[in-house]
């Protein structure tokens, strides 16, 4: 039965605030985020959070910031009242985390709230509110700063409260918000109490870019595999930590993006990171990272989402390329660059390998080989020239070795003065079952999957050769491939016509709602031209750029490298094995094959000692 027509009328203020609370305050973690933003904006150097029942009972945030004048406390609880912006220009250049002026009013509409605050040199004051009713300001004893207490969230909205989870689940969400604030603001000391117990505590971090705070928040498991990122590209600074591909997980659990000290969800940055991992990540695994982007406020719009969890970049394609470049530079390590045991702290991560602590002595007084021994042994197994290819022809039965020929071993008399440690992967000892190369370096045993390693070497050489070629070769189609296109696709084809031509794709508009593909790259001559064009246009619409063709070309080069790499059961000489190790040390991303599988593993002497219970 149709509802009777009712007149249009303004909504009551309480209902307006409750509607706003539905957008801004979803659960205790949402309220905590808003209160933390206010505390950080106040210039606090220390913030304490206290929760009861995961925030369902009460939620309190106390800071030592500038405080709120007593006469302004009632204004703090009004909708759209704030001290952080005064005009449109300040909104476009918002330097504060909170600026909408609606969070405290929304909380007062759906919970009981108490604010106690004191400025330096002034008396403390208190105000209480609940269910849309605001009390009077009263004097109160307080330290400098502000303490906001929230009780019984959604007590007057039972329908909303029943959607909340258990106290433990709500606490987990609050702890995650707390950690995000800790990552973004390493200069602030933070403590989190839950049901009377201190759960998390982070002291102020004075290190550059707060990398020690990052490692502390994300834990030892993350720090053990983390690599520091620090790049300045034009006005954009990209810093933080990214994990090695071997530490990737099945779920995107540890992926933090912070823009101008604000935690956000951003597809542009996430896609840029994923693109940087494209050549080294196995299957559908997700990388772990925490990236902090800093850029001028006029190049990013933070007034996009009510919860301020999204931003819009003025030039998203430039940000995408900068993030991808920064992460690629870190991941493009040669094999063996980090053969020492990784450290848990960020300061140790930044320390060069030569400064890593020395390993402990072997038990029972047995001395390990001196550095001079390792360096001379490695020098004795000098590699074949870098351009030398592995000889894949069948080998004849080896004849007796001539006394003048190079020896595949080293005598004690050959041990000489120390030389630079140029061979992180050591030198080959033997081949196992025609699949693995066994080598030794100063840290212990190295096991190399020879097919996976050679596959990466060939792949990187093919990519380098392809990059050095002339502009993309184009193959005109004998019959143009026409297809029905949406308005967005037609607009993207016109706006990015030059980009498409540089990629080797020629698109023309042949009707009010149709496009035609007239040429494609020669390397992808057998690809479906319509499917290829639609994919490119989808990328251009979503991100302003497309790496689809490069990914397709890389897939072909990867297939070529896989078929051209040395196969299992191919017997290699010591010289060929060492040549492969040296090539790995010179090749970027040689820690993983083209499919993201590891190419080598290090087994330290300590691990070998443990296997045989030495010293126990």
């Amino acid at each position: 039965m149709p509802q009777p027509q009712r007149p249009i009328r303004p909504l009551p203020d309480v209902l307006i605030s409750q509607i706003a609370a539905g957008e801004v305050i979803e659960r205790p973690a949402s309220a905590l985020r808003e209160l933390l933003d206010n505390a950080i904006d106040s210039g606090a150097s220390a913030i304490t959070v206290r929760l009861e029942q995961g925030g369902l009972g009460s939620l309190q945030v106390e800071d030592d910031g500038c405080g709120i004048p007593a006469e302004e406390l009632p204004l703090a609880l009004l909708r759209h009242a704030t001290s952080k912006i005064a005009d449109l220009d300040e909104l476009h250049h918002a330097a504060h985390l909170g600026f909408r002026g609606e969070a405290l009013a929304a909380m007062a509409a759906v919970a009981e709230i108490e604010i106690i605050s004191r400025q330096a040199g002034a008396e403390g004051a208190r105000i209480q509110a609940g269910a849309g009713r605001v009390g009077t300001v009263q004097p109160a004893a307080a330290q400098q700063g502000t303490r906001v207490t929230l009780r019984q969230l959604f007590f007057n909205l039972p329908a909303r409260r029943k959607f909340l989870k258990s106290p433990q689940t709500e606490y987990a969400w609050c702890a995650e918000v707390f950690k995000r604030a800790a990552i973004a603001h390493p200069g602030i000391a933070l403590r989190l109490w839950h049901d009377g117990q201190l759960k998390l505590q982070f002291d102020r971090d004075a290190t550059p870019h707060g990398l020690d705070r990052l490692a502390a928040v994300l834990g030892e498991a993350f720090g053990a595999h983390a690599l520091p990122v620090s790049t300045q590209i034009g006005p954009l600074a990209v810093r933080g930590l990214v994990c090695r591909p071997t530490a990737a997980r099945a779920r995107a659990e540890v992926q933090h993006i912070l823009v101008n000290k604000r935690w956000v969800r951003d597809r542009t940055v996430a896609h840029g990171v994923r693109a940087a991992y494209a050549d080294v990540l196995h299957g559908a695994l997700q990388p772990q990272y925490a990236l902090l982007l800093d850029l001028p406020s006029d190049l990013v719009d933070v007034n996009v989402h009510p919860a301020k969890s999204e931003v819009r970049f003025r030039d998203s394609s430039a940000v995408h390329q900068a993030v991808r470049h920064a992460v690629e530079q870190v991941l493009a390590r040669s094999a063996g660059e980090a053969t020492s045991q990784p450290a848990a702290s960020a300061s140790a991560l930044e320390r060069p390998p030569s400064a890593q602590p020395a390993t402990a002595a072997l038990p029972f007084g047995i001395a390990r080989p001196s550095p001079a021994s390792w360096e001379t042994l490695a020098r004795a197994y000098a590699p074949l020239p870098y351009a030398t290819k592995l000889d894949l022809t069948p080998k004849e039965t080896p004849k007796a070795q001539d006394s003048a020929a190079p020896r595949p071993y080293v005598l004690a008399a050959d041990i000489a003065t120390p030389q630079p440690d140029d061979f992180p992967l050591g030198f080959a000892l033997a081949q196992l079952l025609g699949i693995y190369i066994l080598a030794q370096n100063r840290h212990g045993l190295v096991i190399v999957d020879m097919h996976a390693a050679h596959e990466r070497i060939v792949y990187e050489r093919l990519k380098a050769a392809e990059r050095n070629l002339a502009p993309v070769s184009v193959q005109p189609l004998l019959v143009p491939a026409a297809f029905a296109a949406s308005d967005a696709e037609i607009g993207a084809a016109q706006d990015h016509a030059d980009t498409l031509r540089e990629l080797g794709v020629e698109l023309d508009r042949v009707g009010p709602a149709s496009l035609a593909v007239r040429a494609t790259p020669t390397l992808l001559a057998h690809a479906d031209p319509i499917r290829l064009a639609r994919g490119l246009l989808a990328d251009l619409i979503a991100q302003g750029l497309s790496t689809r063709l490069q990914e397709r070309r890389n897939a072909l080069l990867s297939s070529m490298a896989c078929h051209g790499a040395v196969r299992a059961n191919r017997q290699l000489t010591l010289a060929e094995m060492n040549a492969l190790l040296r090539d790995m040390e010179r090749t970027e991303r040689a820690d993983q094959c083209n499919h993201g599988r590891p190419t080598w593993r290090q087994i330290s002497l300590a691990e070998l000692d443990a296997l045989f219970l030495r010293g126990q």
Side-chain angles (χ1 to χ4, degrees):
M1 183 175 179
Q3 295 293 329
Q5 183 68 32
R6 293 192 293 185
I8 298 175
R9 56 190 175 185
L11 296 175
D13 285 344
V14 173
L15 183 56
I16 293 174
S17 296
Q18 290 177 342
I19 293 173
E23 297 177 341
V24 179
I25 310 300
E26 301 175 7
R27 55 186 350 112
S30 306
L32 176 59
R33 181 191 63 245
E34 297 290 345
L35 295 179
L36 283 173
D37 285 352
N38 287 340
I40 293 167
D41 286 340
S42 73
S45 61
I47 299 174
T48 300
V49 177
R50 290 183 173 86
L51 304 174
E52 292 183 6
Q53 300 176 18
L56 298 174
S58 69
L59 186 160
Q60 184 182 93
V61 176
E62 183 176 5
D63 65 67
D64 61 353
C66 63
I68 305 173
E71 62 274 13
E72 293 182 10
L73 284 176
L75 294 175
L77 294 170
L78 292 181
R79 287 186 296 109
H80 307 305
T82 180
S83 63
K84 300 171 185 178
I85 58 172
D87 53 39
L88 186 61
D89 183 66
E90 289 187 356
L91 176 60
H92 289 163
H93 299 82
H96 297 89
L97 298 178
F99 54 84
R100 300 173 69 94
E102 59 183 353
L104 292 178
M107 294 178 200
V110 296
E112 298 174 356
I113 187 171
E114 178 187 64
I115 304 176
I116 300 177
S117 188
R118 183 175 76 84
Q119 287 190 308
E123 298 295 328
R126 176 179 63 189
I127 191 170
Q128 294 179 318
R133 294 186 296 273
V134 179
T136 59
V137 178
Q138 299 177 347
Q143 297 179 345
Q144 179 180 332
T146 302
R147 182 170 72 238
V148 180
T149 305
L150 203 66
R151 299 184 180 90
Q152 300 300 320
L153 185 63
F154 298 133
F155 76 97
N156 55 344
L157 296 175
R160 289 289 304 276
R161 190 173 176 89
K162 71 179 182 181
F163 280 97
L164 300 177
K165 304 298 182 182
S166 67
Q168 193 59 36
T169 300
E170 295 298 336
Y171 165 74
W173 281 102
C174 290
E176 182 65 21
V177 169
F178 182 84
K179 290 178 181 179
R180 293 170 183 174
I183 292 173
H185 303 276
I188 300 177
L190 292 155
R191 291 187 300 171
L192 174 63
W193 294 77
H194 184 223
D195 290 339
Q197 295 183 346
L198 181 61
K199 293 293 188 178
L200 294 171
Q201 179 173 349
F202 301 111
D203 298 329
R204 297 184 64 182
D205 180 11
T207 60
H209 316 313
L211 293 186
D212 276 348
R213 169 67 68 84
L214 264 180
V217 173
L218 299 178
E220 293 183 1
F222 180 94
H225 299 280
L227 302 169
V229 178
S230 183
T231 303
Q232 181 80 37
I233 303 176
L236 174 64
V238 183
R239 300 181 178 89
L241 297 174
V242 297
C243 274
R244 296 182 177 92
T246 51
R249 298 182 177 182
R251 297 175 59 189
E253 296 173 336
V254 185
Q255 295 185 352
H256 297 281
I257 301 169
L258 295 100
V259 178
N260 292 350
K261 298 186 179 297
R262 186 189 307 276
W263 191 95
V264 298
R265 298 181 181 90
D266 188 79
R267 294 182 181 180
T268 297
V269 177
H271 188 274
V273 175
R274 182 73 190 188
Y277 276 88
D279 269 352
V280 293
L281 212 56
H282 181 59
L285 293 178
Q286 296 289 333
Q288 300 184 69
Y289 57 86
L291 290 179
L292 293 79
L293 279 64
D294 290 301
L295 71 166
S297 58
D298 60 335
L299 299 180
V300 58
D301 184 4
V302 298
N303 188 28
V304 176
H305 192 276
K308 303 181 292 292
S309 60
E310 298 177 7
V311 295
R312 182 183 296 115
F313 297 105
R314 176 177 293 183
D315 190 347
S316 59
S317 62
V319 172
H320 181 280
Q321 292 177 350
V323 170
R324 177 177 179 175
H325 174 76
V327 178
E328 276 184 339
Q329 290 297 103
V330 174
L331 297 178
R333 303 179 309 122
S334 302
E337 282 190 21
T339 51
S340 57
Q341 294 297 322
S345 69
S347 58
L349 282 170
E350 295 181 293
R351 191 163 54 227
S354 59
Q356 295 293 342
T359 52
L362 283 169
F364 304 111
I366 300 176
R368 287 180 174 149
S370 66
S373 304
W374 290 121
E375 287 149 2
T376 307
L377 287 170
R379 185 164 49 88
Y381 283 84
L384 296 174
Y386 182 59
T388 302
K389 296 181 179 179
L390 295 178
D391 183 7
L392 302 182
T393 57
K395 299 293 181 184
E396 298 180 359
T397 303
K399 299 179 180 179
Q401 185 172 353
D402 185 72
S403 59
R407 300 190 306 269
Y409 56 87
V410 176
L411 300 176
D414 294 327
I415 304 301
T417 56
Q419 299 291 330
D421 183 16
D422 293 330
F423 307 120
L425 294 182
F427 54 91
L429 298 173
Q431 193 175 10
L432 179 64
L433 301 176
I435 301 174
Y436 301 103
I437 294 173
L438 304 182
Q440 63 177 350
N441 63 2
R442 64 174 62 243
H443 305 289
L445 177 67
V446 174
I447 304 176
V448 177
D449 182 334
M450 67 181 194
H451 171 74
H454 194 222
E455 182 181 19
R456 168 60 71 176
I457 293 167
V458 175
Y459 177 46
E460 292 297 329
R461 288 178 178 173
L462 287 173
K463 287 200 299 182
E466 191 259 346
R467 285 194 298 266
N468 293 331
L469 292 176
V472 178
S473 176
V474 174
Q475 174 70 52
L477 301 182
L478 293 177
V479 179
F483 62 95
S486 66
D487 292 338
E489 289 174 329
I490 292 174
Q494 294 173 340
D495 294 341
H496 301 280
D498 293 339
T499 300
L500 291 168
R501 277 193 291 270
E502 290 174 1
L503 295 173
V505 176
E506 294 184 10
L507 274 176
D508 286 337
R509 186 173 184 177
V510 293
S514 60
L515 295 170
V517 184
R518 298 192 181 277
T520 59
T522 303
L523 192 61
L524 302 176
H526 297 290
D528 182 345
I530 295 178
R531 185 175 181 181
L532 180 64
R534 284 190 182 279
L536 283 173
L537 293 173
D539 290 342
L540 292 171
I541 292 169
Q543 298 149 14
L545 77 166
S546 178
T547 58
R548 189 175 297 259
L549 286 182
Q550 186 60 53
E551 292 170 359
R552 294 286 295 273
R553 288 197 293 265
N554 286 348
L556 290 176
L557 297 179
S558 176
S559 178
M560 293 167 60
C562 184
H563 292 295
V566 61
R567 293 291 180 179
N569 299 319
R570 166 70 176 87
Q571 296 300 315
L572 303 181
T573 65
L574 280 177
E576 288 176 325
M577 286 186 263
N578 280 292
L580 184 62
L581 295 178
R582 302 295 80 80
D583 280 351
M584 290 176 65
E585 292 164 352
R586 294 181 175 95
T587 302
E588 293 182 349
R589 305 174 186 85
D591 289 339
Q592 285 80 33
C593 75
N594 311 348
H595 313 294
R597 294 186 294 106
T599 58
W600 67 283
R601 292 292 192 190
Q602 174 83 59
I603 301 179
S604 68
L605 289 175
E607 291 172 312
L608 291 172
D609 292 342
L611 286 175
F612 293 96
L613 304 181
R614 292 180 62 86
Q616 300 185 17

